[in-house]
Amino acid sequence: MRPSKRQPDEMRAISFERGVSKHAEGSCLVKFGDTHVLCTASLEERVPGWMRNTGKGWVTAEYGMLPRATGDRMRREAAAGKQGGRTQEIQRLIGRSLRSVVDMAALGEVQITVDCDVIQADGGTRTAAITGGFVALHQCLSWMEARKMISVNKVLKDHVAAISCGIYEGQPVIDLDYLEDSAAQTDANFVMTGKGGIVEIQGTAEGAPFSEEEFSALMGLAKTGIARLVSLQQMAIG
Amino acid sequence: MRPSKRQPDEMRAISFERGVSKHAEGSCLVKFGDTHVLCTASLEERVPGWMRNTGKGWVTAEYGMLPRATGDRMRREAAAGKQGGRTQEIQRLIGRSLRSVVDMAALGEVQITVDCDVIQADGGTRTAAITGGFVALHQCLSWMEARKMISVNKVLKDHVAAISCGIYEGQPVIDLDYLEDSAAQTDANFVMTGKGGIVEIQGTAEGAPFSEEEFSALMGLAKTGIARLVSLQQMAIG
Amino acid sequence: MRPSKRQPDEMRAISFERGVSKHAEGSCLVKFGDTHVLCTASLEERVPGWMRNTGKGWVTAEYGMLPRATGDRMRREAAAGKQGGRTQEIQRLIGRSLRSVVDMAALGEVQITVDCDVIQADGGTRTAAITGGFVALHQCLSWMEARKMISVNKVLKDHVAAISCGIYEGQPVIDLDYLEDSAAQTDANFVMTGKGGIVEIQGTAEGAPFSEEEFSALMGLAKTGIARLVSLQQMAIG
Amino acid sequence: MRPSKRQPDEMRAISFERGVSKHAEGSCLVKFGDTHVLCTASLEERVPGWMRNTGKGWVTAEYGMLPRATGDRMRREAAAGKQGGRTQEIQRLIGRSLRSVVDMAALGEVQITVDCDVIQADGGTRTAAITGGFVALHQCLSWMEARKMISVNKVLKDHVAAISCGIYEGQPVIDLDYLEDSAAQTDANFVMTGKGGIVEIQGTAEGAPFSEEEFSALMGLAKTGIARLVSLQQMAIG
Amino acid sequence: MRPSKRQPDEMRAISFERGVSKHAEGSCLVKFGDTHVLCTASLEERVPGWMRNTGKGWVTAEYGMLPRATGDRMRREAAAGKQGGRTQEIQRLIGRSLRSVVDMAALGEVQITVDCDVIQADGGTRTAAITGGFVALHQCLSWMEARKMISVNKVLKDHVAAISCGIYEGQPVIDLDYLEDSAAQTDANFVMTGKGGIVEIQGTAEGAPFSEEEFSALMGLAKTGIARLVSLQQMAIG
Amino acid sequence: MRPSKRQPDEMRAISFERGVSKHAEGSCLVKFGDTHVLCTASLEERVPGWMRNTGKGWVTAEYGMLPRATGDRMRREAAAGKQGGRTQEIQRLIGRSLRSVVDMAALGEVQITVDCDVIQADGGTRTAAITGGFVALHQCLSWMEARKMISVNKVLKDHVAAISCGIYEGQPVIDLDYLEDSAAQTDANFVMTGKGGIVEIQGTAEGAPFSEEEFSALMGLAKTGIARLVSLQQMAIG
């Protein structure tokens, strides 16, 4: 029995609120249950130095957590003077995931920065960030299309979304909340496209090692879940 | 004529949403028009080293801005590796303001950290943070009272709230939004208590120096505005 | 009775020693009693990036304290690896104050950095720094005028000086020394021009909130004191 | 055809040189072809603060690269003033991998730090570091056993080793060198135990997304390869 | 001919002004011509962690330069966020030099920090700092003796002083000023005790390598010069 | 009697292994007994900003130590977030030493960075680094000569090598190992050219001050030792 009474293959309530930011070209407040991530996509003319004069653009991501997004207050990274290893790992993952569905030549020489800030955390912040970050990115591209800068359909090759799965009390389950995440034997994050292609897999044995069969069960759950996330994204995008 | 069509003595729509955080002992999403600040109050057993064994508590504040809270994306302070001078100035002001109405001996040897994170900025973030931070602090103290740790009435000596006033196109006005703030000749922030005592005054000539009479006009606006903010706080606290 | 036996409206012995630096274009060792601040004004061809090709110049300030300028040795900021919040707050104030009397177009595209280093501290270091920093800045501009780079009278619109006032044992007093500063109920810093215009006001309740009347008394003291500082500056400048 | 003329399932020449450090309790210079990593295991009495008085130990890892381990000289992280995101990601992975086979209660309240420094890089540094780090860790534990501090067999639950696999020119191959790594469509790192349990999986689409079948092919290669690495470890340990 | 018209063995005007700081236990403003260094010696009860409960004390030094102590303004190290290599090298040298004449057991478990801040630089700042730092240290020890904490004669084993020598236009000269220092072929700093023992030698070929004979000539100059510095110290100490 | 049973004028076994790096233009693994330093010389087109368009090149050095190169594990400088004072002092010394034999105009506008990383430490790491760094630098220049970029004989004016000498139990000895170094009364490092010119001398009294005669004895040992190091360099260079 899961603490939240959910079925093993049941995700939390998922919602996307587009256009929540007065300033950003694209934005989305994504909720996976009590995990709330505010994603903004900011268009900038400047690309990183190593991309200049290539005619290609770039998509990058940054990730942060408000200090009291979690059960105990965590030290503010700006006050600590650096981003921790976990933060860097997650923002690199978000950036890679979003770039996997973008045609950089079609985007042209601009940079889009997707900021994913966790307002409230209850497990699965990185998968929510990827999934909501895509919606913010899409809105930013639509903003550009409206200004005749690009064609969304040429820049975006597919949807991308992500979900965590894990083995909790011996049972493969999807979309772990914090209680499950802390107690799971195995924890895996999957990033997949709308067509079902795999973009990124990260599986970790928290306790005992896991078997290939267990891993396949998690991947099975993920495929179904991500398909559903993609259709929710489609509805949000309208 | 103000860009927002407001009267000189008309504040923006003000709202307080209490208890917005699942985790924090106290929280408040405060809105001054399009300026939105999420305030959380976190109770910690640990006081700073120099306060240990004094029997007294401490209230401190931290301030941050999401990178795209503003019209142009700003660099994330955690990525830059330090908090800027403006951030430090503001969080020191918030801390001093909140401490001015707290009896540290009645609080006992605990620390409350009030995090004020600007979700969206449109001028007046520091005054919104102080005004909403008070509501979050009050909820945290109520949480403590419910657990028989303190008595709110003994700890809190008064309300505290803040407002900006300025001279915009020769006219003293209250609660400047970003458009006014950028163009104001003089900009002043006032922090006052419920009884009308002054806690902090910061006045700056952005262009030409200002006169004592101009300053008095700003203070007059502030007194009326803060009285209204205090009554809104009272309604929010219930 | 003030610890120093001064009258409420009596400032400490004030002195300006111009040209104390062999290298700087302008310099001034300013003393407000036992508070000694060495101010140097350095002319640089380079303006900040955002000012380039505007034809306008810039005046900026930095502030520091020798580690044993104070009663207890403080950690050296260079060794700590960053400037504290108080330092940044003060150097921003000094810069704003000096800029308020400079015509940047008349200065032309150069930068003047005014370094204010506290050799010995006994309260009022920021007001001494502003007041002495003006003298150093003036000498730097004279140096430029002697080289036909500018006309001092076109660049400098007025004098600027600063003083602290506070309520000590219920009595409004001017130019607080450390003993008074530590015990004052209210502490306010005033920055004004030679013509009596107000450039900056910062008032803080250290203990109980203060009233508008008390604040007016402080401003009255400040006006008289700053008028005297300006005439002392005039004598120093010669 | 692979640039190195290897068969798809052929790893590079693997060697372990134990005891290469005069000072460290355990050490191993591991070579996967031209990738050379020096691993040292250092025993320290001090555990991290949050583990004190738990009776349990800790194993952690740090990773570094000499500036000219690579084709172009990279900036020294100590000179840059921080460890990059890639470095932190890798050292977190090494630490988790090694901890997965250690019984912390049997180890007792000590900390072992495994430093993995890349002397020369040609792809696969993280997998070489995990595989060689295990040998260094084992030698450190043997050193402890010789001093009657622990029993190696109680502390070490199994072997752990790692290998990279990827899809290079449409073909699943094992143990990618730098040339293959730069051109691979898909890149996956596998960490497994001697009994074949999976400890960590990280798969990334560098270009187009990959399919579940492709991923299975990579995992198949990894299982065989890791089994061989484990038997090489056993020979090295003697 | 030296730019300053001095004889090869002629030092600049040397002066020591003791007790210049209102706060420090010991202080000395030392001048070697236009090189002015403010030295303060601060007594602290706390010793570094690795010295606790040894019954022994410690003497350490820090060195800094005001930004416009030099011909061109240098970046403030506190603003740069770290002390440069030159600063660290110099402060380590000052600390070693002063410790060479202190009996740490006789000092007892306290720490004395000697801060050497260059107010104005014209070559030879490190040698002036050591020579003046000794006078500040002596005054601090006298302060302690007056409070029956130590006996100066037991703590201080000897005087210590320092001078630079160099080969300028083929001629060995003593106490180089900035003009000579920039043009010298060889530059050497000598630290010696009152009894003529050598504490530290640092010789550097700025252009062509130098010979043993040249080095001996420099050492000869240094011995005479340091003997004179020591007698000046004795007069200053009284 | 020396702990290593060596004669006072007997250096440890010295070896140079050239070309140990697959990637670097020049490299050398130098061993002075159990002190092992990996030196790589990296050619870069970019010179520091202040050298641009001068037609001259630059040689610089960086120094690092693997965390467990020493008897106790030291904190990794990249993790600590900065290079310590000792590291900076040493890398500045290596750079100056190598530059003393290079004709920068003949080198042309390129930069060579010599990285000296201590793999294992047993005293004398800086002198080994200079001596081996020269061999790596020479190989880099030969690499350039083979590509018709320069002529080695025009760029390199001489050999440069370094050795430490010290007074151990009252006896002047050469090439101190860690045991001797920790116990020496006096410790001196000498850097000299092939023709016997002195490039750098650093002598430090660790305990009591030393006399000019003692220092001469150390220099005598150094001259003989460096002559031998130079002939070993010549053999290594071939």
Side-chain angles (χ1 to χ4, degrees):
Chain A
M1 178 63 93
R2 305 178 69 175
S4 59
K5 320 286 184 207
R6 284 186 280 143
Q7 294 300 313
D9 62 349
E10 184 184 348
M11 293 194 292
R12 291 174 285 181
I14 310 284
S15 69
F16 301 97
E17 191 180 347
R18 274 221 317 174
V20 291
S21 161
K22 172 190 174 78
H23 301 298
E25 287 76 24
S27 61
C28 176
L29 174 61
V30 59
K31 298 185 180 176
F32 280 33
D34 281 335
T35 289
H36 303 173
V37 184
L38 177 57
C39 308
T40 58
S42 297
L43 175 66
E44 289 168 305
E45 298 296 312
R46 260 184 356 155
V47 292
W50 52 272
M51 296 213 68
R52 255 168 237 154
N53 304 317
T54 63
K56 293 185 179 177
W58 192 243
V59 174
T60 187
E62 293 195 5
Y63 172 91
M65 235 190 210
L66 297 194
R68 195 56 196 279
T70 45
D72 292 316
R73 186 179 184 273
M74 294 185 317
R75 191 167 180 206
R76 187 178 289 267
E77 288 188 323
K82 63 174 181 180
Q83 294 181 300
R86 179 184 169 277
T87 293
Q88 293 197 51
E89 207 168 302
I90 292 175
Q91 68 191 11
R92 285 157 57 91
L93 172 65
I94 301 169
R96 281 199 308 274
S97 299
L98 295 176
R99 283 192 295 274
S100 73
V101 294
V102 174
D103 181 322
M104 295 301 169
L107 177 58
E109 205 166 315
V110 298
Q111 172 165 291
I112 299 173
T113 301
V114 179
D115 285 288
C116 300
D117 285 274
V118 180
I119 303 298
Q120 188 173 279
D122 187 32
T125 64
R126 80 186 71 188
T127 50
I130 293 165
T131 308
F134 175 81
V135 175
L137 174 62
H138 184 279
Q139 194 185 29
C140 177
L141 295 171
S142 300
W143 186 95
M144 292 172 76
E145 191 175 66
R147 281 154 190 79
K148 314 271 187 228
M149 298 168 72
I150 56 146
S151 156
V152 175
N153 287 339
K154 285 187 182 150
V155 173
L156 268 190
K157 299 183 284 191
D158 201 346
H159 277 242
V160 65
I163 197 70
S164 76
C165 298
I167 299 177
Y168 175 75
E169 301 204 343
Q171 166 89 47
V173 298
I174 194 168
D175 191 21
L176 287 72
D177 57 28
Y178 178 75
L179 278 180
E180 292 171 324
D181 200 28
S182 327
Q185 295 117 267
T186 293
D187 181 20
N189 292 295
F190 296 86
V191 185
M192 298 187 190
T193 64
K195 299 191 188 76
I198 307 170
V199 168
E200 186 102 20
I201 291 176
Q202 295 184 337
T204 300
E206 301 290 344
F210 54 93
S211 67
E212 199 171 345
E213 293 66 39
E214 288 172 316
F215 186 70
S216 292
L218 299 181
M219 195 181 290
L221 282 171
K223 284 199 286 192
T224 314
I226 286 177
R228 199 170 143 245
L229 289 173
V230 168
S231 65
L232 290 169
Q233 284 177 334
Q234 284 164 337
M235 280 189 284
I237 287 166
Chain B
M1 177 63 91
R2 306 178 69 175
S4 59
K5 320 287 183 205
R6 284 185 281 144
Q7 295 300 313
D9 64 347
E10 185 184 348
M11 294 194 290
R12 292 175 284 182
I14 309 284
S15 69
F16 301 96
E17 191 180 346
R18 273 221 318 176
V20 291
S21 160
K22 173 190 172 81
H23 301 299
E25 286 76 22
S27 61
C28 175
L29 175 60
V30 59
K31 299 185 180 175
F32 278 34
D34 281 334
T35 289
H36 302 174
V37 183
L38 178 57
C39 309
T40 58
S42 297
L43 175 65
E44 290 168 306
E45 298 296 312
R46 260 185 356 157
V47 291
W50 51 273
M51 295 214 65
R52 254 169 237 152
N53 303 318
T54 63
K56 292 185 179 176
W58 192 243
V59 173
T60 187
E62 293 195 4
Y63 172 91
M65 234 191 211
L66 297 193
R68 194 58 195 280
T70 46
D72 293 314
R73 184 178 185 273
M74 295 185 315
R75 189 164 182 209
R76 188 178 288 268
E77 289 189 322
K82 62 175 180 177
Q83 295 181 301
R86 179 185 169 277
T87 293
Q88 292 195 52
E89 207 168 303
I90 294 175
Q91 67 192 9
R92 285 157 57 91
L93 171 63
I94 301 170
R96 280 199 309 274
S97 298
L98 295 176
R99 282 193 295 275
S100 74
V101 292
V102 174
D103 180 323
M104 295 300 170
L107 177 57
E109 206 166 314
V110 299
Q111 172 165 292
I112 299 174
T113 302
V114 178
D115 285 288
C116 300
D117 285 273
V118 179
I119 303 297
Q120 189 173 276
D122 186 32
T125 63
R126 79 187 71 188
T127 50
I130 292 166
T131 309
F134 174 81
V135 175
L137 174 62
H138 184 279
Q139 193 183 32
C140 176
L141 295 172
S142 300
W143 186 96
M144 291 173 76
E145 189 175 71
R147 280 152 191 81
K148 314 268 186 231
M149 298 169 73
I150 56 145
S151 156
V152 174
N153 288 339
K154 286 188 183 148
V155 173
L156 268 189
K157 298 182 284 190
D158 201 344
H159 277 244
V160 67
I163 198 72
S164 75
C165 297
I167 299 177
Y168 175 75
E169 303 205 342
Q171 167 90 47
V173 297
I174 195 167
D175 192 21
L176 288 71
D177 57 30
Y178 178 75
L179 278 180
E180 292 171 324
D181 200 27
S182 325
Q185 294 119 266
T186 294
D187 181 20
N189 292 294
F190 297 86
V191 185
M192 297 187 191
T193 63
K195 298 189 188 79
I198 308 170
V199 169
E200 186 103 19
I201 290 177
Q202 295 184 335
T204 300
E206 302 289 344
F210 53 93
S211 67
E212 199 171 345
E213 292 65 39
E214 288 173 316
F215 187 71
S216 290
L218 299 182
M219 196 182 289
L221 283 171
K223 283 198 289 191
T224 315
I226 286 178
R228 204 178 136 238
L229 289 173
V230 167
S231 66
L232 290 169
Q233 284 177 334
Q234 284 164 337
M235 280 189 283
I237 288 167
Chain C
M1 179 64 93
R2 304 178 71 175
S4 60
K5 320 286 186 206
R6 284 186 280 145
Q7 295 300 314
D9 62 349
E10 184 184 350
M11 295 193 290
R12 292 175 284 183
I14 309 285
S15 69
F16 301 96
E17 192 180 349
R18 273 220 318 174
V20 292
S21 162
K22 173 189 173 81
H23 301 298
E25 287 75 24
S27 61
C28 177
L29 175 61
V30 60
K31 298 185 181 177
F32 279 35
D34 282 334
T35 289
H36 304 174
V37 183
L38 177 57
C39 307
T40 58
S42 299
L43 175 66
E44 290 169 305
E45 297 297 311
R46 260 183 357 157
V47 292
W50 52 272
M51 294 212 69
R52 255 169 237 154
N53 304 320
T54 62
K56 292 185 180 175
W58 193 242
V59 173
T60 187
E62 292 195 4
Y63 172 91
M65 235 190 210
L66 297 194
R68 193 57 195 279
T70 44
D72 292 314
R73 184 178 184 273
M74 294 185 318
R75 191 166 180 208
R76 187 178 288 269
E77 288 187 324
K82 63 174 180 179
Q83 295 182 300
R86 180 184 168 277
T87 293
Q88 293 197 52
E89 208 167 302
I90 293 176
Q91 68 191 10
R92 285 157 58 92
L93 171 64
I94 301 170
R96 280 199 310 273
S97 299
L98 295 177
R99 284 193 294 275
S100 73
V101 293
V102 174
D103 180 322
M104 295 301 170
L107 177 58
E109 205 166 316
V110 299
Q111 172 164 292
I112 299 174
T113 301
V114 179
D115 285 288
C116 301
D117 285 273
V118 180
I119 303 298
Q120 187 172 280
D122 187 33
T125 64
R126 80 186 70 188
T127 51
I130 292 166
T131 308
F134 174 80
V135 175
L137 174 62
H138 184 278
Q139 193 185 30
C140 177
L141 295 172
S142 300
W143 186 96
M144 292 174 75
E145 191 176 66
R147 281 153 190 78
K148 315 268 186 233
M149 299 169 72
I150 56 149
S151 155
V152 175
N153 288 338
K154 286 188 182 149
V155 174
L156 268 190
K157 298 182 285 191
D158 201 345
H159 277 243
V160 66
I163 198 70
S164 75
C165 299
I167 299 177
Y168 174 75
E169 301 204 344
Q171 167 91 46
V173 297
I174 195 166
D175 190 23
L176 288 70
D177 57 29
Y178 178 75
L179 278 181
E180 291 171 325
D181 199 28
S182 327
Q185 293 118 270
T186 293
D187 181 20
N189 292 295
F190 296 86
V191 185
M192 297 188 192
T193 64
K195 299 189 188 77
I198 306 172
V199 169
E200 187 101 20
I201 290 176
Q202 295 185 336
T204 301
E206 302 290 344
F210 54 93
S211 67
E212 199 173 345
E213 293 66 39
E214 288 172 315
F215 186 71
S216 292
L218 299 181
M219 195 181 288
L221 282 171
K223 284 199 288 191
T224 315
I226 286 178
R228 203 178 137 237
L229 289 173
V230 168
S231 63
L232 290 169
Q233 284 177 334
Q234 284 164 337
M235 280 189 282
I237 287 167
Chain D
M1 178 64 90
R2 306 177 71 174
S4 59
K5 320 288 184 205
R6 284 186 280 143
Q7 295 301 312
D9 64 347
E10 184 185 348
M11 294 194 292
R12 292 174 285 182
I14 309 284
S15 69
F16 301 96
E17 191 180 347
R18 271 217 323 171
V20 292
S21 161
K22 174 190 172 79
H23 301 299
E25 286 76 23
S27 62
C28 176
L29 175 61
V30 59
K31 298 185 180 175
F32 279 34
D34 281 335
T35 290
H36 303 175
V37 184
L38 177 57
C39 308
T40 57
S42 297
L43 175 66
E44 290 168 305
E45 298 296 312
R46 256 179 5 152
V47 292
W50 50 272
M51 294 214 68
R52 253 168 238 155
N53 303 319
T54 63
K56 291 186 180 175
W58 192 243
V59 173
T60 187
E62 292 194 4
Y63 172 91
M65 236 188 209
L66 297 194
R68 194 59 195 277
T70 45
D72 292 314
R73 184 176 185 274
M74 295 184 315
R75 191 166 180 207
R76 188 179 288 268
E77 290 188 321
K82 64 174 179 178
Q83 295 180 301
R86 180 184 169 276
T87 293
Q88 293 197 50
E89 208 168 301
I90 292 176
Q91 68 192 9
R92 286 158 56 93
L93 171 65
I94 301 170
R96 281 199 309 272
S97 298
L98 295 176
R99 283 193 294 275
S100 74
V101 293
V102 174
D103 181 323
M104 294 302 170
L107 177 58
E109 205 165 316
V110 298
Q111 172 164 292
I112 298 173
T113 301
V114 178
D115 285 287
C116 301
D117 285 274
V118 179
I119 303 298
Q120 187 173 277
D122 187 32
T125 63
R126 80 188 70 188
T127 50
I130 292 166
T131 309
F134 174 81
V135 175
L137 174 62
H138 184 278
Q139 193 185 30
C140 177
L141 295 173
S142 299
W143 185 95
M144 292 173 75
E145 189 175 71
R147 280 152 190 80
K148 315 269 186 233
M149 297 168 74
I150 56 144
S151 155
V152 175
N153 288 339
K154 284 187 183 149
V155 173
L156 269 191
K157 297 182 284 190
D158 201 343
H159 276 243
V160 67
I163 198 72
S164 76
C165 297
I167 299 177
Y168 175 75
E169 302 206 342
Q171 167 90 47
V173 297
I174 195 168
D175 190 21
L176 287 73
D177 57 30
Y178 178 75
L179 279 181
E180 293 172 322
D181 200 27
S182 324
Q185 295 119 266
T186 294
D187 181 22
N189 292 294
F190 296 89
V191 184
M192 298 189 191
T193 63
K195 299 191 188 76
I198 308 172
V199 168
E200 186 103 18
I201 290 176
Q202 294 185 336
T204 301
E206 301 289 346
F210 54 92
S211 68
E212 198 171 346
E213 293 65 40
E214 288 172 315
F215 187 70
S216 290
L218 298 181
M219 195 182 289
L221 282 170
K223 284 198 289 191
T224 314
I226 286 178
R228 196 168 145 247
L229 288 173
V230 167
S231 64
L232 289 169
Q233 283 177 335
Q234 285 165 336
M235 281 189 283
I237 287 167
Chain E
M1 178 64 92
R2 306 178 69 173
S4 60
K5 320 286 186 207
R6 283 187 281 144
Q7 295 300 313
D9 63 348
E10 185 185 349
M11 293 194 291
R12 292 175 283 183
I14 309 285
S15 70
F16 301 97
E17 193 180 345
R18 274 221 316 176
V20 292
S21 161
K22 175 190 171 79
H23 301 299
E25 286 76 22
S27 60
C28 176
L29 174 60
V30 60
K31 298 185 181 177
F32 280 33
D34 281 336
T35 289
H36 303 175
V37 184
L38 178 57
C39 308
T40 57
S42 298
L43 175 66
E44 289 168 307
E45 298 296 311
R46 260 182 358 155
V47 292
W50 50 273
M51 294 214 67
R52 253 168 238 152
N53 303 320
T54 62
K56 293 186 179 176
W58 192 242
V59 173
T60 186
E62 293 195 4
Y63 172 91
M65 235 189 210
L66 297 194
R68 194 57 195 279
T70 46
D72 291 314
R73 184 178 185 272
M74 295 184 317
R75 190 164 181 209
R76 188 178 287 269
E77 289 189 322
K82 62 174 178 178
Q83 296 180 300
R86 178 183 170 279
T87 294
Q88 293 197 50
E89 209 168 301
I90 293 175
Q91 67 191 11
R92 286 157 56 91
L93 171 64
I94 302 170
R96 280 199 309 273
S97 298
L98 295 177
R99 283 193 294 276
S100 73
V101 293
V102 174
D103 181 322
M104 295 301 171
L107 178 58
E109 206 165 315
V110 299
Q111 171 164 291
I112 299 173
T113 301
V114 178
D115 285 288
C116 300
D117 285 273
V118 180
I119 303 299
Q120 188 173 276
D122 187 32
T125 63
R126 79 187 69 188
T127 50
I130 292 166
T131 309
F134 174 81
V135 175
L137 174 61
H138 184 278
Q139 194 184 32
C140 177
L141 294 173
S142 301
W143 186 96
M144 292 173 76
E145 191 176 68
R147 280 153 191 80
K148 314 266 186 234
M149 297 168 74
I150 56 145
S151 156
V152 175
N153 288 338
K154 286 188 182 149
V155 173
L156 268 191
K157 297 182 285 191
D158 201 344
H159 276 244
V160 67
I163 198 70
S164 75
C165 298
I167 299 177
Y168 174 74
E169 302 205 344
Q171 166 90 47
V173 297
I174 195 167
D175 191 20
L176 288 71
D177 56 30
Y178 178 74
L179 279 180
E180 293 171 323
D181 199 28
S182 325
Q185 294 118 268
T186 293
D187 181 22
N189 293 295
F190 296 87
V191 185
M192 298 189 191
T193 63
K195 298 190 188 76
I198 307 170
V199 168
E200 185 102 20
I201 290 176
Q202 294 185 337
T204 301
E206 301 291 343
F210 54 93
S211 67
E212 198 171 346
E213 292 65 39
E214 289 172 314
F215 186 71
S216 290
L218 300 182
M219 195 182 289
L221 283 170
K223 283 198 287 191
T224 314
I226 287 179
R228 200 173 141 241
L229 289 173
V230 167
S231 64
L232 290 169
Q233 284 177 333
Q234 284 164 338
M235 282 189 283
I237 288 167
Chain F
M1 178 64 92
R2 305 177 71 174
S4 59
K5 318 286 185 206
R6 285 187 279 144
Q7 294 300 313
D9 63 350
E10 184 184 348
M11 293 194 291
R12 292 175 285 183
I14 309 285
S15 69
F16 301 97
E17 192 179 349
R18 273 222 315 175
V20 292
S21 161
K22 174 190 172 79
H23 300 298
E25 287 75 23
S27 61
C28 176
L29 175 61
V30 59
K31 298 185 179 176
F32 280 33
D34 281 335
T35 289
H36 303 174
V37 183
L38 179 57
C39 307
T40 57
S42 298
L43 176 66
E44 288 169 306
E45 298 297 312
R46 258 184 358 155
V47 292
W50 51 273
M51 295 214 67
R52 255 169 238 153
N53 304 318
T54 63
K56 293 185 180 176
W58 193 243
V59 173
T60 187
E62 292 195 5
Y63 171 92
M65 234 189 210
L66 298 194
R68 195 57 196 279
T70 45
D72 291 316
R73 184 178 184 274
M74 294 185 317
R75 192 166 179 206
R76 185 178 290 268
E77 289 188 322
K82 62 173 179 179
Q83 295 180 300
R86 179 184 169 276
T87 293
Q88 294 196 52
E89 208 169 300
I90 293 176
Q91 67 191 11
R92 284 157 57 92
L93 171 64
I94 301 170
R96 281 200 309 272
S97 299
L98 295 176
R99 283 193 294 275
S100 73
V101 293
V102 174
D103 181 323
M104 295 301 170
L107 178 59
E109 205 165 316
V110 298
Q111 173 165 291
I112 299 174
T113 302
V114 179
D115 285 288
C116 300
D117 285 272
V118 180
I119 303 298
Q120 189 173 278
D122 187 32
T125 63
R126 79 186 71 187
T127 50
I130 292 166
T131 309
F134 175 80
V135 175
L137 174 62
H138 184 279
Q139 194 184 31
C140 176
L141 294 172
S142 301
W143 185 96
M144 292 172 76
E145 189 176 68
R147 280 155 190 77
K148 314 270 187 229
M149 298 169 72
I150 56 146
S151 155
V152 174
N153 288 339
K154 286 187 183 149
V155 173
L156 268 190
K157 297 183 285 190
D158 201 344
H159 277 244
V160 67
I163 198 70
S164 75
C165 297
I167 299 176
Y168 175 74
E169 303 204 342
Q171 166 89 49
V173 297
I174 195 167
D175 190 22
L176 287 73
D177 57 29
Y178 178 74
L179 278 180
E180 291 171 324
D181 200 28
S182 327
Q185 294 118 268
T186 294
D187 181 20
N189 293 294
F190 296 87
V191 185
M192 298 188 191
T193 63
K195 299 191 188 77
I198 307 171
V199 169
E200 185 103 21
I201 291 177
Q202 295 184 336
T204 302
E206 301 290 343
F210 53 92
S211 66
E212 200 172 345
E213 292 67 39
E214 288 172 316
F215 186 69
S216 291
L218 299 181
M219 195 182 289
L221 283 171
K223 283 199 287 191
T224 315
I226 286 179
R228 201 174 139 240
L229 289 174
V230 168
S231 63
L232 290 169
Q233 284 177 335
Q234 284 164 337
M235 282 190 283
I237 288 167

